[in-house]
Amino acid sequence: MSRRELAEAAGVNPQTIGYLERGDYSPSLELGMKIAQVFEVPVELVFSFAPFESVASALRRAAE
């Protein structure tokens, strides 16, 4: 799913999704719930006290 598609589904600007991806912005509870709904996952998968692993790190680890 592209940033634009997620932004449209969540009702926000695509730039907001970019900020979220880079960790420059923490989503409101409402936005987190909308994103969870878009992906049909529990909201707990969107919010975490522990930082999420970067995609680059996950890919490196998977290649090992």
Side-chain angles (χ1 to χ4, degrees), residues 3 34 55:
R3 282 184 191 164
K34 287 179 179 180
V55 173

Side-chain angles (χ1 to χ4, degrees), residues 12-61:
V12 296
N13 187 302
Q15 188 175 17
T16 300
I17 302 302
Y19 290 146
L20 292 172
E21 289 176 336
R22 290 188 302 275
D24 294 338
Y25 174 72
S26 295
S28 65
L29 179 56
E30 180 180 355
L31 179 53
M33 292 177 74
K34 287 179 179 180
I35 291 171
Q37 186 176 37
V38 168
F39 290 110
E40 299 178 349
V41 298
V43 72
E44 292 85 2
L45 291 180
V46 177
F47 289 102
S48 173
F49 285 119
F52 292 104
E53 181 179 16
S54 72
V55 173
S57 295
L59 291 172
R60 275 192 301 264
R61 188 173 39 77

